[in-house]
Structure formats: C-alpha cells, structure tokens
Amino acid sequence: MELSPRVRALLSLVVCLHIAAVFVAPFTFNSSPAPGMAAASPVGAVLMDWFEPYIDALYLRHGYAFFAPDPGPSHLFRAKLEFDDGREPEELMFPDLRRHRPRLLYHRHFMLSERLIVGYVPAVAPRELVDDPVRMAAWRASRDAYVDYYEQLRQSYIAHLKHRYGAQRVTLTRLEHQILSPADIVENRRDMADERLYEVHPEDVVAEKLP
Amino acid sequence: MIAAVQAVRQWSRDVLTAWNHFWFAPAAPHTLALIRILAGLMLFYTHLVWSFDLEAFLGTAPWVTREASQAMFRSPYTWSYLWHLESPWLLWLAHGLALVVFAALTVGFRTRLASILAWLITLAYCHRLQGALYGLDQVNAMLAMYLTVGPAGAVWSVDRWLAKRRAAAPATPVPSIGTNLAIRLIQVHLAIVYLFGGISKLKGTAWWDGSAVWLAVANYEYQSLDLSWLGRWIPLIAIFTHVTVFWETFYPILIWPRLTRPVMLVLAVCVHGSIAIALGMPTFGMAMIIANLAFLEPAFTAAVVHACGQRLRRHAKPASSAKQTL
C-alpha cells in the first residue's frame, strides 16, 4: 500500500515530534546540575516546558543513566517496629533477599529503599550556583520539593508498615552499604556482607526548610 | 551558482527519498511478531510478580500513597485507574484482567485491541507505582507503546491461525508500512536510550579509571552471581568497563551499518546477559535484549524461528513415538 504525500508528511511530523519528546527527557535530565533539579540549559528547560504533558502522559521522563555517572553504594533501610500489645520490638531490613521473592519483587523493595536517597538535593547549594540568582532560585525550589517529597515518602512507608504489622511505632533508619575494593576482598578476605559496611545515612533532610 | 543550486536540490531529493524509505517502506512482520511474543511474556511476568504482594503496593495502605507519589512526581499529566480501586476484590479483578490482556497480546489474540489495552494498562501501573520502578518498566512501556503501531499479530499468532481457518489470510504474511514504522520507532528510541546511557557514564570517573564494572559486581544488593574473583584481574575489569562505555556511546551510530551491526548486537547480548545473570536483574537484561531484536531483518528472524521450530519438532517426535511404543 502506498501512502499519499499528504499522509506521509503528516506521519513524518508526528514521528519527528515523538522522537523529539523521547530525546528531550534524557537531554533535560543530563543538563540538570543534580537529579531532581531543573535543567541548567535554557534549551532543555524550554523544550521540557513544551513537551512535558506528552512526556509525562507517555511515561517518557527518564534519564537512562543506568549505573551512571558512577555505580555507587546501595541504599537500604531498617524499620524498627514497636508494639503496645506486649510483642517484642522487631527489626526488618528492606530489601531482604530471604523475604522478598521472586527476585523482581526483591528489586521492587530495593527501589523503594533507593527512593529515600535518589533525587537528594543537598542542604548546601553547590558553590558554582552561589553567584547566579536564577540558578540559586531553581536550586532552592528543588531542595524544598525534595524535602517535601522525602518527608511524604517516609511517612507513607511508616503508615504502610504500621498497617501491615499492626505496629504502633515505626522508626526508619537509612543505611548505605559501602563497596569493598578488589584488594579488600582478594588480599584481606573481607566479606561483602560484613555488617560494618552498612553505615547509617545521616538525616539532614528534614532538619530545616529553607527561608 | 546554478550547479550549486542543483546540487542542493538533488541532495534534498535524496534526503527525502531516504527518509521515506527509512520510515515508510513496507516490512515483513516476523521481527515485530517475535518482539510481541517476548515482550508480551515479559509484561505478563512483570505484572504477575506484583500479585505476590499486590495489596502492599496497590491496596488501601500502600507503600507509596497518592500524596507521596504526587510529591515525588509533580505532574498533572499522569493518570491511573489504579488510584480509584478501593476494594480489594475490585483490585484483584482489575489485576486479573490485566494479566488476561497481556496473555492475549503474547499469543496474538485480537492483537490490535490487546496491544492498545496492554499499553494503557502498562502506563497505568507505571503512573501508579512510582518509587518501585526501574529500567525494566521503562523498556516495558516503550515496547508496549510501539506494539500498538504495527500489525504485531500478522504472523505467529492466534489471529493468524483463525484467519487461516477461515481462509481469510494470505499464504504468506503481507509486508506493511505499519510494521516498519513500529520497528523503526523501537530502533530510534533504543538508540536514544544508549546515547544517553553512554553520555551519562562519561560524566563519572569510574567509567574512565576502569573501576565501574567492579563497583557494579561488588555491590552486594545487586549481586546474583559472585564475581568477586574478578578482583584478581583488575586489567580485565578495566577492559569490561571501557568496552561497555564505548559500546553504549557509539551504539547509536554503529548499529546502523550492516557491517558493524552484528558486533553491536553481540555486545548488547553480552552486556545485558551479564546484567541478567550477575547483577540480579534477569528481567531488565532480557527486556533490553528483546528491544535489540528490532535490528534483526525479518527474513533472518523468520529463518531462525523456523529452524528452532523444526528442531523442537524433531526432538518432540522421538519422544512421542517412544510413548507410542510403550
């Protein structure tokens, strides 16, 4: 079947706009100074404004930054459950390979725990932004949004765990699992699962909302 | 001057011809059909796994509440029917129907309708389950979207089998523009995924100093196969690291020429196969390999599937004749 030139032209336009939208999302992501912050490039910001409804509706807002810029330590959280009915307090780790099966379900819990760290906007602005009022304003907005989202997410996890386990109090502790060097494993025979490698991640996030 | 104008005109005509050929030349449906079957299976499995803890993720007291999801993903342009399913039985019913749709897509029953529904359902789950998603869901949504564009059930499907029974199907499947459009969209989208996958790695130091692969395989939470012995072979780790980043960055260019395409595809299978086996993400690794199938010529796909089918039949025959003898 041959398409008429008019139909071809129309389809070409649709294809071009779609490909542009697919491109704009990771372009904007990569042009942001930090995950969660608005694009530093004015081109990225304008394009994102145009394409945002389409990108979000079609679930295209991705950076495709797999294991990038550098593969880092993983982030977990420990939930301490306390009960008023006489049960002993319980501690659960998320994710946990023994409890979360099949592997894909484990990975879903892994992503939930990573979410408590991903998109983190530091409490102190990056030095290169300080003299730029526009970028500083963007950074402040991102930081406030992060503080809000982190607190909402944390409360959401706590409410879920209270409901699921019938606990009255739930305390979450974020952990960062440090990665051993080749020398540590090969020469010093250290174990990747060594408990000392799980460091508590500091809770600087909800300490203060910026003025 | 006239010569220059003529050269520009000729160039414009050539570009237009190449553009039309790239997007609008009819293509045989075998590669798209294979992607439909494998992506359909992947969509089915991905959503089946939610069933193991459905109410924890989608129930009335979920991990991520609507407020938290909205705070995390501030967009008025997303919508999901899953936000409105308050009763558990309604949730399970909707979930069961979603699985039926993915099964219908896989076997190619009412394929056009099934593909559109599968895409909308995939989007609904993605929009609802922010916070628990990762690369697998991005690839699932991408493939589901493009399967709606072409006649994905034109071959190797229940639709085709039913049409043959009614004698309403041609003996050989007809090449179509829709098939080509769907395949081209997957190809271009995938090229963009790799382009930014490569570029974003170039911002890191571990991809330059050769340690990135170690940082991935020595991550205990990802690990599904202990590759810590690689610590004895640091130059090998560095080679894997550099090959990965160069392959990914140049994929969008080197995947198109026929000479370099097989190399790019073999490397894709190696990289994603390693992620599937060693980094605890078999579904994500396989989903990326399925997307890469878009670069196979339909005739090649048909020949390989035919050869596999014959081999399976040869294996099945002795088994059935042995049963008859017994």
Side-chain angles (χ1 to χ4, degrees):
Chain A
M1 192 188 97
E2 266 292 301
L3 294 176
S4 69
R6 195 172 288 183
V7 173
R8 264 205 308 248
L10 188 66
L11 276 176
S12 297
L13 181 68
V14 172
V15 162
C16 286
L17 287 172
H18 174 75
I19 298 293
V22 170
F23 185 90
V24 162
F27 175 74
T28 310
F29 179 91
N30 274 282
S31 81
S32 304
M37 288 186 67
S41 155
V43 176
V46 168
L47 288 174
M48 188 43 114
D49 273 354
W50 289 350
F51 284 104
E52 194 173 28
Y54 186 79
I55 285 171
D56 285 349
L58 270 61
Y59 187 58
L60 293 171
R61 191 190 281 259
H62 313 301
Y64 305 120
F66 308 121
F67 291 104
D70 283 326
S74 29
H75 300 97
L76 307 89
F77 67 87
R78 194 169 46 218
K80 184 179 180 190
L81 313 176
E82 293 174 275
F83 309 92
D84 284 349
D85 56 8
R87 278 183 282 168
E88 287 294 310
E90 205 178 324
E91 282 201 344
L92 298 173
M93 188 73 105
F94 293 91
D96 184 346
L97 261 179
R98 286 165 299 182
R99 286 186 296 119
H100 303 135
R101 289 184 187 191
R103 183 81 194 197
L104 180 53
L105 192 64
Y106 164 84
H107 218 81
R108 297 301 186 194
H109 288 90
F110 189 13
M111 291 303 104
L112 288 175
S113 65
E114 283 286 350
R115 261 287 156 192
L116 289 176
I117 300 285
V118 175
Y120 172 66
V121 180
V124 179
R127 190 183 296 269
E128 65 269 20
L129 301 189
V130 172
D131 298 326
D132 184 338
V134 176
R135 290 173 72 191
M136 268 302 281
W139 169 79
R140 265 173 206 277
S142 303
R143 166 72 188 171
D144 283 350
Y146 172 71
V147 170
D148 182 32
Y149 123 56
Y150 171 71
E151 188 52 18
Q152 292 266 14
L153 200 60
R154 208 171 65 89
Q155 291 305 332
S156 179
Y157 289 6
I158 288 172
H160 168 72
L161 290 167
K162 278 183 178 172
H163 174 84
R164 183 166 193 157
Y165 295 98
Q168 274 64 49
R169 284 167 302 285
V170 174
T171 314
L172 300 187
T173 309
R174 298 187 298 179
L175 302 168
E176 189 167 273
H177 189 176
Q178 301 305 322
I179 296 174
L180 290 173
S181 69
D184 272 334
I185 289 186
V186 175
E187 288 160 27
N188 304 331
R189 306 225 169 254
R190 288 192 66 186
D191 184 3
M192 286 184 198
D194 185 343
E195 281 193 12
R196 286 169 297 178
L197 294 171
Y198 292 86
E199 293 177 2
V200 172
H201 197 277
E203 287 283 337
D204 74 328
V205 179
V206 288
E208 87 292 347
K209 217 167 185 175
L210 291 165
Chain B
M1 186 65 188
I2 291 170
V5 171
Q6 277 177 342
V8 170
R9 271 194 190 154
Q10 184 57 44
W11 176 81
S12 308
R13 271 197 295 270
D14 290 347
V15 168
L16 193 63
T17 307
W19 173 269
N20 285 335
H21 180 74
F22 184 86
W23 291 105
F24 305 120
H30 302 87
T31 299
L32 189 65
L34 181 64
I35 292 174
R36 182 205 85 230
I37 295 167
L38 298 175
L41 278 172
M42 185 58 74
L43 284 165
F44 183 85
Y45 179 73
T46 302
H47 289 81
L48 181 69
V49 169
W50 292 118
S51 320
F52 286 79
D53 212 1
L54 190 70
E55 290 182 44
F57 285 93
L58 296 169
T60 44
W63 275 109
V64 181
T65 59
R66 189 167 195 166
E67 295 72 31
S69 179
Q70 281 168 349
M72 184 167 34
F73 195 71
R74 294 161 183 272
S75 172
Y77 309 111
T78 63
W79 182 84
S80 172
Y81 62 87
L82 293 162
W83 289 119
H84 307 286
L85 304 178
E86 304 255 315
S87 85
W89 72 265
L90 206 58
L91 173 64
W92 277 101
L93 179 69
H95 187 63
L97 287 173
L99 293 177
V100 170
V101 168
F102 293 130
L105 175 69
T106 306
V107 299
F109 178 64
R110 302 275 172 121
T111 314
R112 180 65 78 175
L113 177 65
S115 62
I116 292 169
L117 289 176
W119 177 46
L120 295 176
I121 291 168
T122 304
L123 284 179
Y125 275 74
C126 289
H127 287 154
R128 168 63 188 86
L129 286 161
Q130 289 291 335
L133 308 179
Y134 68 111
L136 166 68
D137 306 283
Q138 299 169 15
V139 183
N140 274 346
M142 173 185 90
L143 293 175
M145 173 165 59
Y146 297 130
L147 283 172
T148 64
V149 174
V155 69
W156 303 328
S157 63
V158 173
D159 286 346
R160 167 99 178 140
W161 178 73
L162 289 173
K164 267 184 171 174
R165 273 186 52 171
R166 291 194 305 266
T172 50
V174 182
S176 75
I177 293 170
T179 302
N180 185 46
L181 207 53
I183 288 289
R184 291 302 194 191
L185 285 165
I186 297 175
Q187 292 174 340
V188 173
H189 196 137
L190 195 60
I192 291 173
V193 170
Y194 283 122
L195 173 68
F196 285 99
I199 286 177
S200 51
K201 285 180 178 63
L202 294 177
K203 290 178 178 178
T205 51
W207 293 101
W208 287 108
D209 69 20
S211 65
V213 165
W214 173 259
L215 294 175
V217 300
N219 186 312
Y220 188 66
E221 275 66 40
Y222 276 104
Q223 191 184 77
S224 51
L225 181 70
D226 185 2
L227 294 180
S228 55
W229 54 268
L230 274 173
R232 294 180 191 281
W233 304 88
I234 290 174
L236 194 61
I237 294 170
I239 290 170
F240 288 160
T241 301
H242 300 315
V243 167
T244 302
V245 77
F246 277 98
W247 161 73
E248 208 168 353
T249 308
F250 289 102
Y251 181 102
I253 299 164
L254 297 178
I255 194 64
W256 302 106
R258 283 173 199 278
L259 279 177
T260 47
R261 187 178 304 168
V263 180
M264 290 291 109
L265 291 178
V266 167
L267 283 172
V269 171
C270 293
V271 171
H272 296 303
S274 307
I275 290 171
I277 294 165
L279 294 185
M281 292 183 280
T283 40
F284 175 53
M286 281 190 280
M288 289 301 284
I289 292 174
I290 294 168
N292 271 279
L293 294 178
F295 284 97
L296 298 184
E297 291 291 337
F300 177 81
T301 308
V304 170
V305 171
H306 182 68
C308 291
Q310 276 190 329
R311 210 176 174 146
L312 276 176
R313 273 194 288 273
R314 263 205 302 275
H315 278 291
K317 261 186 189 166
S320 61
S321 48
K323 260 187 193 169
Q324 281 170 0
T325 318
L326 284 171

